[in-house]
Amino acid sequence: MDKYIESVYQSILDKDPLQKEFHQAALEVLETLEPVIEKYPVFKEHKILERIVEPERIIQFRVPWKDRNGEIQINRGYRVQYNSAIGPYKGGFRFHPTVYLGLLKFLGFEQTFKNSLTTLPMGGGKGGSDFDPKGKTDGEVENFCHSFMGEMYRHIGQFTDVPAGDIGVGGREIGYLYAAYRKITNLHGTGVLTGKGYGWGGSLVRPEATGYGNVYFAQEMLKTKGESFKGKKVLISGSGNVAQYAAEKAMQLGAKVASFSDSTGAVHAPDGITKEMWDYVMELKNVKRGRISEFAEKYNLEYVKGGRVWQFGGDIALPCATQNELDKKDAEKLISSGVIAVGEGANMPTTPEAVTLLIEKGVLFSPGKASNAGGVATSGLEMSQNSGRLFWSREEVDKQLHGIMVNIHQNAYETAKEFGAPGNYVLGANIAGFMKVAKAMVAMGHLA
Ligand code: NDP
Ligand code: 2IT
């Protein structure tokens, strides 16, 4: 690695030695930026790298709430407002027991480049809490959300910072959060959150957007090799929002969706799931909030407790659960089963060693910041509709989402070629996402 870039990376390690996911995300970006720093010395003169790794603002607060027994519980709330050079901070809230500052810094950092790739005017941010919605009653989740928003409301707004969902934050949580925001501020400020329900400011296709977008991106990658989803065995990990809609779109394109998983295990459906089975998973996960093992039981499918879906082998892999869920061993298994494409639906699900191996072996590989950008892009479309006080049809939103994904693919593909690494979507997406933010920061001087 270039000495200057290495020194920036070293400063991150020195300042925050325990934030390992953030180190990983920063290194993955920094190590691909060498040709840009060489070609545009202005970025070094303006200390863009030193500035871009440092969040503009971090908010951390106490979230006290009462559980079903009337007992007081305490969680931590956060918002990392990473970069607002090209628009208001934008990015989801994650509610999961593993949430801490290092995790949210990784996600906010990624979000900055992802949002830039969408071409919409959105900066990067991320927030959340170590609160675990699993096993909680609706009432407990509601109490928690009200307390969380009791502090968060003063830091957000349509021109400041626009949060949305992520792991553990879906339509239910956004509803409770939005109610608290309205109560406190007396504003029907629809533009303050995205992922709202249809009828109270939400956009059609936002729930589907990340999963659909990931499949649209993979479709573009496959086209470069004269391939398509038709008849392919597709492995999907996770069974939450992104996994559900990636599965639906892959099925619509004629693929056999052969797996789902959750944090307790993996299910194999070697012949592909049917629409009825997909409906069952939707009800199981979104209404009953049950475990994926119940799906395996119901349809008499193989279930591997504590296992990962990659062991089942397939043509296309779409990791849609969480970070670092596909490692080098998993990549080896996928390669030996003849995988042709891996499209990240989650954020950073593939470990660096696995990414290197997949690219080396000529597997089409898309980094999450490019291929899962459909979610935040459609959040951007929700913001546009809120500003215009109107609603677009399903066809209109889906058409725009599709166009954005095709464009991100094209941009990453062309940028990789321009910088001497044809077919390397990691390098292409990092450089393309970085350039727009970096140029904006240079234009605005050292305060940006
Ligand atoms: P959900 O909460 O709807 O689903 C998450 C899924 O991943 C669940 O199946 C969950 O299983 C599993 N999972 C979560 N944590 C772990 C873990 N530590 N180990 C194993 N499995 C785990 O979240 P989303 O579908 O919204 O998010 C999935 C991924 O996609 C995340 O990386 C998120 O950052 C990313 N993403 C989401 C976007 C969105 O619009 N929602 C946009 C772009 C990216 P369990 O129920 O057992 O916890
Ligand atoms: O990681 C992500 O891009 C998201 N969780 C979606 C963020 C958003 O603002 O829609």
Side-chain angles (χ1 to χ4, degrees):
M1 215 194 318
D2 169 89
K3 277 222 168 72
Y4 161 60
I5 295 180
E6 200 172 339
S7 74
V8 174
Y9 179 60
Q10 190 57 47
S11 75
I12 293 171
L13 302 181
D14 293 344
K15 273 189 207 160
D16 298 300
L18 301 179
Q19 297 179 351
K20 60 183 194 321
E21 295 86 355
F22 173 55
H23 302 159
Q24 182 184 335
L27 182 61
E28 274 189 44
V29 171
L30 288 171
E31 66 187 4
T32 57
L33 294 182
E34 199 171 322
V36 190
I37 300 301
E38 217 166 84
K39 191 167 173 186
Y40 301 98
V42 67
F43 294 147
K44 190 172 169 181
E45 281 160 34
H46 285 253
K47 300 205 170 175
I48 297 299
L49 294 188
E50 291 90 327
R51 284 151 63 187
I52 217 162
V53 295
E54 191 68 28
E56 288 176 20
R57 186 180 299 109
I58 293 173
I59 298 142
Q60 184 187 313
F61 54 97
R62 177 173 72 202
V63 190
W65 57 280
K66 276 193 182 169
D67 68 15
R68 67 191 98 165
N69 305 315
E71 200 174 309
I72 297 169
Q73 302 289 338
I74 318 285
N75 286 95
R76 268 192 185 169
Y78 304 87
R79 188 72 182 164
V80 178
Q81 298 182 327
Y82 226 107
N83 193 304
S84 61
I86 64 169
Y89 311 108
K90 179 85 195 85
F93 285 143
R94 178 176 293 193
F95 292 170
H96 195 270
T98 55
V99 164
Y100 78 109
L101 191 53
L103 197 72
L104 297 177
K105 277 178 66 183
F106 126 57
L107 290 162
F109 184 73
E110 288 282 291
Q111 198 82 46
T112 300
F113 304 105
K114 180 195 306 191
N115 294 3
S116 161
L117 285 169
T118 66
T119 71
L120 303 176
M122 301 182 290
K126 200 86 187 188
S129 173
D130 58 359
F131 173 74
D132 187 359
K134 230 178 275 158
K136 303 285 191 300
T137 63
D138 284 354
E140 287 176 320
V141 172
E142 188 171 12
N143 283 347
F144 173 81
C145 286
H146 290 174
S147 180
F148 182 84
M149 190 52 94
E151 172 61 34
M152 187 59 74
Y153 83 94
R154 67 185 96 247
H155 307 291
I156 60 178
Q158 65 166 325
F159 300 115
T160 320
D161 185 351
V162 184
D166 192 79
I167 290 179
V169 180
R172 173 182 64 170
E173 289 74 18
I174 294 293
Y176 296 150
L177 291 164
Y178 189 53
Y181 183 83
R182 286 202 303 113
K183 199 85 184 163
I184 297 164
T185 62
N186 195 30
L187 293 171
H188 213 301
T190 50
V192 74
L193 288 173
T194 61
K196 300 180 295 294
Y198 190 67
W200 43 280
S203 174
L204 288 169
V205 193
R206 176 63 190 89
E208 295 90 337
T210 311
Y212 279 19
N214 189 27
V215 171
Y216 292 152
F217 193 98
Q219 222 183 353
E220 293 305 301
M221 290 202 296
L222 290 166
K223 271 192 208 161
T224 66
K225 303 259 183 200
E227 286 282 4
S228 76
F229 270 91
K230 200 156 182 55
K232 298 291 187 308
K233 180 179 178 189
V234 178
L235 294 178
I236 293 181
S237 65
S239 47
N241 173 265
V242 181
Q244 292 162 9
Y245 289 104
E248 186 185 47
K249 184 52 74 180
M251 284 160 70
Q252 285 171 5
L253 296 177
K256 286 189 288 183
V257 170
S259 67
F260 278 122
S261 66
D262 64 17
S263 56
T264 39
V267 181
H268 191 201
D271 303 326
I273 63 166
T274 60
K275 170 76 170 61
E276 183 205 312
M277 289 157 97
W278 183 81
D279 287 341
Y280 179 88
V281 172
M282 294 297 282
E283 171 85 8
L284 175 69
K285 285 292 169 181
N286 305 338
V287 182
K288 291 190 189 141
R289 300 184 187 274
R291 299 282 80 207
I292 203 68
S293 56
E294 296 167 51
F295 169 60
E297 268 162 43
K298 163 96 182 161
Y299 291 98
N300 204 16
L301 298 167
E302 181 189 357
Y303 174 69
V304 184
K305 195 174 170 205
R308 291 177 172 182
V309 302
W310 320 120
Q311 63 189 294
F312 304 138
D315 304 312
I316 296 168
L318 304 175
C320 296
T322 192
Q323 63 279 350
N324 294 326
E325 52 152 327
L326 195 168
D327 63 19
K328 192 170 173 208
K329 276 198 181 131
D330 299 320
E332 282 163 357
K333 278 182 209 149
L334 286 172
I335 290 163
S336 69
S337 75
V339 76
I340 53 175
V342 176
E344 291 191 332
N347 285 306
M348 208 169 73
T350 318
T351 65
E353 299 75 29
V355 174
T356 305
L357 182 67
L358 290 165
I359 293 177
E360 238 173 55
K361 297 288 180 191
V363 177
L364 295 164
F365 176 82
S366 68
K369 68 170 74 63
S371 48
N372 73 32
V376 75
T378 307
S379 280
L381 301 178
E382 183 172 330
M383 290 162 75
S384 298
Q385 292 169 77
N386 293 161
S387 300
R389 298 174 187 278
L390 44 77
F391 296 99
W392 295 333
S393 68
R394 173 169 289 276
E395 291 70 30
E396 174 62 27
V397 180
D398 192 39
K399 194 175 98 193
Q400 291 206 36
L401 165 64
H402 187 255
I404 289 170
M405 297 315 296
V406 169
N407 181 63
I408 296 175
H409 174 272
Q410 183 73 7
N411 192 1
Y413 185 83
E414 294 297 336
T415 306
K417 212 158 63 178
E418 182 191 337
F419 285 89
N424 186 334
Y425 291 97
V426 175
L427 181 135
N430 284 345
I431 293 183
F434 169 81
M435 288 284 282
K436 186 170 152 193
V437 181
K439 280 184 186 168
M441 289 172 76
V442 170
M444 289 184 221
H446 71 274
L447 273 187

